[in-house]
Amino acid sequence: MGDDSGSNRSKPEWLQQYDLIGKIGEGTYGLVFLARIKSSTNRGKSIAIKKFKQSKDGDGVSPTAIREIMLLREITHENVVKLVNVHINHMDMSLYLAFDYAEHDLFEIIRHHRDKVNQSINQYTVKSLLWQLLNGLNYLHSNWIIHRDLKPSNILVMGEGEEHGVVKIADFGLARIYQAPLKPLSENGVVVTIWYRAPELLLGAKHYTSAVDMWAVGCIFAELLTLKPLFQGAEVKATPNPFQLDQLDKIFKVLGHPTLEKWPSLANLPHWQQDSQHIQGHKYDNASLCSVLQLSPKSPAYDLLSKMLEYDPRKRITAAQALEHEYFKIEPLPGRNALVPCQPGDTFVNYPTRPVDTTTDFEGTANMQPSQPVSSGAAVSGNMPGGHVSNRSVPRPMNVGGMQRIPHQAMQGYNLSSQAGMGAGMNPGGIPMQRGVPQQQLRRKDQMGMPGYPPQQKSRRI
Amino acid sequence: MIYTAIDTFYLTDEQLAISPSRKDGIDEATETSLRIYGCDLIQESGILLRLPQAVMATGQVLFHRFYCKKSFARFNVKKVAASCVWLASKLEENPRKARQVIIVFHRMECRREDFPMEHLDLYSKKYVDLKMELSRTERHILKEMGFICHVEHPHKFISNYLATLETPPELRQEAWNLANDSLRTTLCVRFKSEVVACGVVYAAARRFQVPLPENPPWWKAFDGEKSGIDEVCRVLAHLYSLPKAQYIPVCKDGDFTFSNKSSESKSQSTPKDVPQNSPPADTDNSVPKGTQGEANIESNGSKGAIVKVAIDKLKDSKRSDDESKGMSTEGEARDEPILKSKADRKIEAIERRADRDRDRERYRDRERDRDRDRDRTKSRDRDRGRDSDKEREREEAERGKLKDRDHRSRERAKDSGHSEKSKRHSSHDRDSHGSSYSSREKDRHRHH
């Protein structure tokens, strides 16, 4: 067991089923830890534990956590992150969400190609990642859920195992059911990380739809192709209103000015109406999406991307329509394992797994012995995955190369392949849940079923 | 067919008959009374916290669901009601602070259970314990719900059903009132909200003698069943036949209170220590709206308001101004926040206590209808006291949302001849009261 610096602190009962490995991320909500399951049925299975710390006001369980759990408890899809368990720590009233762990995310994959491989992501991988992302998003939109924070770091990809290369959409802290909201969605304030924020949001739309997610997917698609963010604007945090001049400027430079002819409802948007900072007068010569992407305007990839980046949200392509696009019907066809290409000629890339910080204990403090494994009341597996960890033993730095990472990004949940034996039951505080009344646990309808490859999906209502 | 969220929390009559409370030896009448009492607390606290009606509706449904899984003997009804309205405020995106909820429940308890009105010290051990209990009960509720807390309300369907049936506009308010009252009962855990909506539409049509198509039966188009409709009407009639629900201590762990019952002598001795001060400068214009709202809530929740004002003035003069302003909107004796001499304040305190004694007598003697009437009167007074136009607009906006922006109702309000916004609001409340009263009278008659 090594030295036990936390010998005086009792470990919560629910935590004893896990071997804690170390910290793998953090955000405004709290920390994310990597753990492994001890029980014989799922021995060694990796779990990401996302901790929601209680607010300093002591106002109980955070609404964001409740909302995320409520949604994830009701949805099941291969391309959506799986919530395995929820634990409530009675000592400090913290809430812990246990997810299947995913080794990779699009942010890391893109960064690896840009900084290490120094080569584009192969077509098969780009197409498979995009198809699976759209497949999961179509499921969400079909069930009236808008994600509202799609970005590369929230798109996870499973590591080696049963679900190797499968995409998982993560982080539902900003997601909402929009079938019949009591309040307009705009009352939730600013949503979507700024580089992936749709123009109708930036111009202060009072009403918006799932089309804001499709704009974000378009930005992600372009980033997969070019290895750098498409619209890399600087956000002004101080102002409470949604208008962001620099972000709009970056968009207009590539796509040109929006016009009332192409976007009739543009006139109704507050910040276009007010002509905030004279955006209508700025000139954007030589705006060209195809030159930025270096794609032929006649290629199906360009056509799909331009439809995702349509200014008018009502004309923007939907997830269901995108899945039927010609781009996914030409070779190479997308596959379930996005990381291992089917074509013999393509280069196989061995992506590094996420760095793990073993010096931070479960309460979030770094101990004084950096080289020692974490032993603060938590048993650490003697078999550290040293062979799989990248060169650095510290968590991902915020600044990478020449690119400034967006500050205050919420860390995503993580996922790993689930097994039939793993139940999704609630086990707060280690107390077995007493369900005296048997209920029929209906899941939201899964019109996709198990996705077949290549895709031959029929379009349904959004 | 409108696609709706997963809605799976329903029980059969057999399951309800062997509820956890019944297994703990609590009879059906007592459980029913406690359910109504808890819902009354949720409704009243929601009004005091200025929450939109949707929050109280969600809170009452969660309350009923929780006591289908847990016993009243093991979870105090006051604790659960407080945590349900608190949790519902988060779920419906109108979050309130734990402090606000505790202060409101403390004040309601003193008034309803005849405890001496006392000052709730926010730094006392009692307050810290209450806050911990609120959070702990919230976690219990979330755990029992399995974190699935989606709630669908019959109100959502009423406007559509009535519009489709082309009924007279007065049915809308009646059906809405009946839907609100149905939340006091377990209808929400026995029937889907479409069925409850059909039931209240049917009852409203009967009340106003409006014929509805029966061949083919109108309820078939709305996923209703005649047996369900009849049961909704029967349950509502039974609800109106009951006396006002009272608090009944049934907990095995001993009784729970938000207040300290033995603090009467302490509260009486406090006024002597209050130093005399000159009136504060008028800073009304600079007071933020949020602060004002909180001040009002706090003054509502505290006993010995004069003492509280004086004590707070020592700590925070600005906050003291807010308290004074808040009080002036409620106290009939004073038109402006002028602090009087010590002797005058003592006299007023005595008079106020006497008034409270008389109120308690009247409170106990009154029937349910009159209590409801008084609550509405208080609500109207509070509304008239508001100076802010924004507040009024917000309230109207919320009412509009709750009723799916009922335009015909607003037209009727205009036709009544009231041109001012506040009067329109008052007129609206009077309509609500009138129709509810009439409905109950008729139902009682039919019941007998």
Side-chain angles (χ1 to χ4, degrees):
Chain A
M1 293 290 293
D3 59 314
D4 189 357
S5 63
S7 59
N8 290 331
R9 186 175 62 226
S10 63
K11 190 161 61 164
E13 186 178 348
W14 63 269
L15 192 53
Q16 294 174 29
Q17 63 188 289
Y18 300 113
D19 285 325
L20 283 178
I21 309 301
K23 189 179 80 172
I24 50 182
E26 62 186 307
T28 52
Y29 51 82
L31 303 175
V32 184
F33 274 83
L34 173 61
R36 298 206 202 285
I37 297 178
K38 286 180 181 174
S39 72
S40 55
T41 55
N42 288 303
R43 177 173 298 281
K45 178 179 166 64
S46 292
I47 295 290
I49 299 180
K50 181 174 175 178
K51 174 182 178 181
F52 279 89
K53 57 197 177 188
Q54 166 137 251
S55 63
K56 293 181 179 178
D57 292 338
D59 265 346
V61 182
S62 89
T64 303
I66 298 173
R67 201 171 301 118
E68 179 160 6
I69 298 167
M70 278 173 59
L71 281 175
L72 291 172
R73 286 271 288 126
E74 293 203 24
I75 57 182
T76 297
H77 192 271
E78 188 182 49
N79 296 123
V80 174
V81 76
K82 181 176 181 184
L83 178 65
V84 174
N85 227 328
V86 175
H87 307 291
I88 301 179
N89 207 29
H90 296 291
M91 298 299 295
D92 60 357
M93 300 189 189
S94 296
L95 198 66
Y96 296 83
L97 279 60
F99 295 94
D100 280 345
Y101 177 66
E103 300 281 357
H104 314 287
D105 62 65
L106 295 199
F107 179 84
E108 289 290 348
I109 288 173
I110 291 169
R111 190 169 71 101
H112 182 70
H113 274 269
R114 184 181 61 244
D115 297 343
K116 295 288 194 288
V117 179
N118 201 27
Q119 183 179 321
S120 294
I121 304 173
N122 69 74
Q123 286 186 59
Y124 167 81
T125 295
V126 169
K127 187 175 292 190
S128 300
L129 293 171
L130 183 64
W131 192 92
Q132 293 188 42
L133 169 55
L134 289 166
N135 192 35
L137 196 60
N138 183 40
Y139 170 81
L140 296 179
H141 290 174
S142 299
N143 286 280
W144 300 104
I145 298 171
I146 307 179
H147 186 278
R148 299 199 305 184
D149 201 18
L150 293 176
K151 58 187 175 184
S153 56
N154 283 344
I155 310 301
L156 311 182
V157 185
M158 302 295 281
E160 295 198 3
E162 183 181 299
E163 283 189 301
H164 190 210
V166 175
V167 170
K168 304 283 179 176
I169 300 173
D171 196 345
F172 285 76
L174 282 175
R176 286 291 188 284
I177 296 174
Y178 67 104
Q179 186 246 339
L182 282 176
K183 300 167 133 186
L185 292 175
S186 56
E187 287 196 16
N188 292 151
V190 174
V191 295
V192 192
T193 305
I194 188 165
W195 294 349
Y196 310 91
R197 199 175 297 168
E200 65 266 27
L201 293 173
L202 295 163
L203 292 170
K206 295 298 180 189
H207 305 281
Y208 56 85
T209 67
S210 51
V212 304
D213 283 341
M214 290 306 295
W215 177 276
V217 171
C219 298
I220 293 170
F221 185 20
E223 194 165 341
L224 287 169
L225 294 171
T226 66
L227 302 181
K228 66 184 195 305
L230 182 59
F231 306 123
Q232 201 169 332
E235 182 172 20
V236 180
K237 285 279 185 178
T239 169
N241 75 62
F243 183 78
Q244 293 285 342
L245 176 64
D246 193 54
Q247 184 65 23
L248 285 165
D249 189 63
K250 294 292 190 291
I251 295 172
F252 295 167
K253 277 180 178 173
V254 174
L255 302 179
H257 248 304
T259 63
L260 295 178
E261 177 189 359
K262 292 183 177 178
W263 186 0
S265 58
L266 176 62
N268 301 325
L269 296 179
H271 293 289
W272 185 263
Q273 210 172 66
Q274 302 160 19
D275 195 17
S276 301
Q277 305 191 42
H278 308 293
I279 52 176
Q280 296 188 29
H282 287 196
K283 294 187 176 179
Y284 297 98
D285 301 329
N286 305 320
S288 175
L289 177 62
C290 50
S291 65
V292 171
L293 298 172
Q294 296 176 13
L295 284 178
S296 163
K298 297 177 181 176
S299 67
Y302 179 85
D303 182 67
L304 175 58
L305 182 58
S306 61
K307 288 187 163 76
M308 291 176 171
L309 299 177
E310 170 72 51
Y311 274 130
D312 189 345
R314 286 177 296 188
K315 299 174 187 171
R316 203 172 295 155
I317 196 169
T318 65
Q321 293 163 352
L323 289 168
E324 299 295 316
H325 193 270
E326 189 66 26
Y327 172 68
F328 294 114
K329 297 178 178 177
I330 60 174
E331 295 286 337
L333 296 177
R336 182 170 186 265
N337 188 335
L339 301 183
V340 179
C342 306
Q343 308 297 327
D346 284 337
T347 307
F348 172 74
V349 181
N350 199 351
Y351 295 104
T353 56
R354 190 169 288 100
V356 180
D357 170 17
T358 56
T359 63
T360 304
D361 70 10
F362 202 55
E363 296 308 318
T365 56
N367 60 31
M368 301 305 295
Q369 301 171 342
S371 60
Q372 295 291 329
V374 171
S375 59
S376 56
V380 178
S381 169
N383 181 21
M384 290 293 294
H388 304 289
V389 178
S390 64
N391 298 335
R392 289 166 284 103
S393 62
V394 295
R396 174 192 322 160
M398 294 304 293
N399 296 327
V400 178
M403 190 192 79
Q404 174 67 42
R405 186 149 185 221
I406 302 176
H408 306 305
Q409 284 188 80
M411 281 300 170
Q412 66 276 14
Y414 295 97
N415 224 18
L416 196 64
S417 63
S418 63
Q419 298 181 18
M422 169 55 67
M426 309 291 296
N427 191 23
I431 304 171
M433 180 179 294
Q434 301 171 3
R435 295 191 175 270
V437 180
Q439 297 177 69
Q440 185 184 4
Q441 288 293 330
L442 298 178
R443 292 290 178 180
R444 284 172 177 267
K445 63 176 188 178
D446 183 354
Q447 69 181 29
M448 293 284 104
M450 289 299 293
Y453 300 88
Q456 296 295 336
Q457 306 298 331
K458 293 184 179 178
S459 172
R460 295 197 192 184
R461 64 172 173 80
I462 56 170
Chain B
M1 180 62 181
I2 301 174
Y3 183 87
T4 58
I6 295 293
D7 199 15
T8 60
F9 197 110
Y10 293 109
L11 284 79
T12 64
D13 295 346
E14 292 74 32
Q15 288 166 327
L16 274 172
I18 53 168
S19 70
S21 300
R22 195 85 61 261
K23 293 171 181 171
D24 270 338
I26 298 176
D27 61 73
E28 182 178 352
T30 301
E31 179 174 357
T32 298
S33 193
L34 283 171
R35 284 185 182 271
I36 297 172
Y37 186 79
C39 288
D40 284 344
L41 293 179
I42 292 171
Q43 177 67 20
E44 183 176 339
S45 64
I47 293 171
L48 294 172
L49 292 162
R50 289 190 172 79
L51 290 164
Q53 184 64 40
V55 174
M56 287 88 100
T58 295
Q60 291 173 70
V61 173
L62 294 177
F63 176 86
H64 287 300
R65 289 179 180 178
F66 180 77
Y67 280 116
C68 292
K69 287 177 166 287
K70 290 296 181 186
S71 166
F72 280 96
R74 300 171 195 276
F75 288 88
N76 181 271
V77 62
K78 292 184 278 186
K79 279 191 214 174
V80 175
S83 294
C84 281
V85 66
W86 190 37
L87 174 57
S89 72
K90 296 179 181 179
L91 296 172
E92 302 290 351
E93 313 213 33
N94 282 276
R96 293 291 186 269
K97 295 290 188 183
R99 172 171 48 82
Q100 296 166 278
V101 175
I102 291 168
I103 287 173
V104 161
F105 268 80
H106 172 267
R107 192 253 189 193
M108 290 195 304
E109 183 187 71
C110 291
R111 188 170 67 86
R112 285 169 169 264
E113 295 179 48
D114 203 14
F115 293 158
M117 201 57 81
E118 65 177 9
H119 167 64
L120 181 61
D121 182 1
L122 299 188
Y123 301 98
S124 63
K125 179 179 185 298
K126 178 65 175 178
Y127 175 76
V128 174
D129 290 344
L130 289 173
K131 204 171 185 185
M132 199 169 299
E133 282 295 332
L134 199 68
S135 290
R136 194 165 78 168
T137 306
E138 181 194 45
R139 291 200 311 274
H140 275 294
I141 296 166
L142 285 168
K143 175 181 138 191
E144 293 304 326
M145 300 298 106
F147 278 90
I148 297 180
C149 303
H150 293 298
V151 176
E152 193 167 69
H153 298 297
H155 307 67
K156 177 175 164 181
F157 303 99
I158 288 170
S159 294
N160 284 340
Y161 291 2
L162 292 173
T164 305
L165 293 167
E166 297 177 355
T167 54
E170 58 264 24
L171 255 62
R172 189 184 311 271
Q173 184 65 61
E174 179 70 12
W176 199 269
N177 296 340
L178 291 166
N180 283 337
D181 291 341
S182 77
L183 294 168
R184 261 71 168 181
T185 74
T186 52
L187 288 172
C188 56
V189 296
R190 299 172 61 194
F191 299 103
K192 301 190 70 164
S193 36
E194 291 95 329
V195 177
V196 177
C198 287
V200 299
V201 163
Y202 182 82
R206 288 280 300 268
R207 156 79 178 88
F208 285 94
Q209 297 178 4
V210 173
L212 299 176
E214 286 191 359
N215 192 17
W218 61 273
W219 54 84
K220 293 291 186 183
F222 304 128
D223 289 339
E225 291 278 347
K226 189 57 163 60
S227 58
I229 290 173
D230 290 343
E231 182 63 10
V232 168
C233 294
R234 189 196 70 78
V235 167
L236 287 173
H238 177 66
L239 172 70
Y240 296 139
S241 73
L242 295 173
K244 182 168 179 63
Q246 304 288 337
Y247 176 65
I248 306 166
V250 294
C251 268
K252 298 189 170 186
D253 296 340
D255 203 10
F256 165 85
T257 61
F258 280 89
S259 59
N260 304 294
K261 291 183 179 178
S262 60
S263 67
E264 184 168 3
S265 59
K266 178 185 174 183
S267 68
Q268 291 205 14
S269 63
T270 309
K272 297 173 186 175
D273 301 326
V274 175
Q276 213 162 332
N277 285 286
S278 61
D282 186 4
T283 59
D284 291 351
N285 291 332
S286 65
V287 172
K289 185 179 139 188
T291 306
Q292 179 182 337
E294 286 193 0
N296 287 338
I297 292 167
E298 288 172 3
S299 65
N300 291 343
S302 71
K303 179 209 170 195
I306 284 184
V307 174
K308 182 172 172 57
V309 168
I311 293 174
D312 285 347
K313 197 168 60 175
L314 298 178
K315 302 174 184 175
D316 184 348
S317 62
K318 188 172 183 182
R319 185 171 164 181
S320 171
D321 295 342
D322 301 339
E323 299 284 348
S324 302
K325 187 169 192 292
M327 278 195 308
S328 69
T329 62
E330 300 171 7
E332 297 174 355
R334 298 190 299 174
D335 297 327
E336 51 190 356
I338 297 177
L339 290 183
K340 300 174 182 176
S341 67
K342 183 175 178 182
D344 287 344
R345 284 203 302 272
K346 192 179 285 186
I347 292 172
E348 281 189 354
I350 294 170
E351 286 175 347
R352 195 170 288 110
R353 250 197 308 272
D355 287 342
R356 271 200 302 272
D357 291 339
R358 281 195 292 270
D359 284 346
R360 273 199 293 267
E361 286 294 327
R362 286 198 293 265
Y363 186 93
R364 278 194 289 265
D365 294 338
R366 277 175 187 167
E367 298 178 39
R368 178 193 177 91
D369 312 340
R370 290 180 208 155
D371 284 323
R372 187 174 294 270
D373 177 27
R374 191 182 68 156
D375 287 345
R376 286 222 170 79
T377 304
K378 260 173 37 177
S379 176
R380 280 202 300 271
D381 290 338
R382 191 163 48 240
D383 289 334
R384 278 197 287 264
R386 287 194 190 118
D387 298 324
S388 170
D389 285 334
K390 270 188 178 179
E391 279 289 313
R392 226 170 295 151
E393 289 167 6
R394 187 177 64 87
E395 288 291 321
E396 288 177 0
E398 283 167 352
R399 280 201 313 273
K401 283 172 193 170
L402 280 176
K403 299 173 186 175
D404 300 326
R405 289 173 172 77
D406 176 3
H407 296 291
R408 276 183 283 180
S409 175
R410 281 200 288 267
E411 283 296 327
R412 192 182 68 223
K414 286 178 186 174
D415 293 340
S416 70
H418 295 285
S419 58
E420 295 177 26
K421 284 182 179 178
S422 58
K423 287 190 176 176
R424 189 186 308 158
H425 180 77
S426 302
S427 166
H428 177 76
D429 268 11
R430 278 195 293 270
D431 288 347
S432 305
H433 163 63
S435 54
S436 293
Y437 183 89
S438 303
S439 170
R440 281 192 300 273
E441 282 294 324
K442 189 185 178 192
D443 285 337
R444 187 174 303 109
H445 176 73
R446 192 171 54 196
H447 182 73
H448 296 318

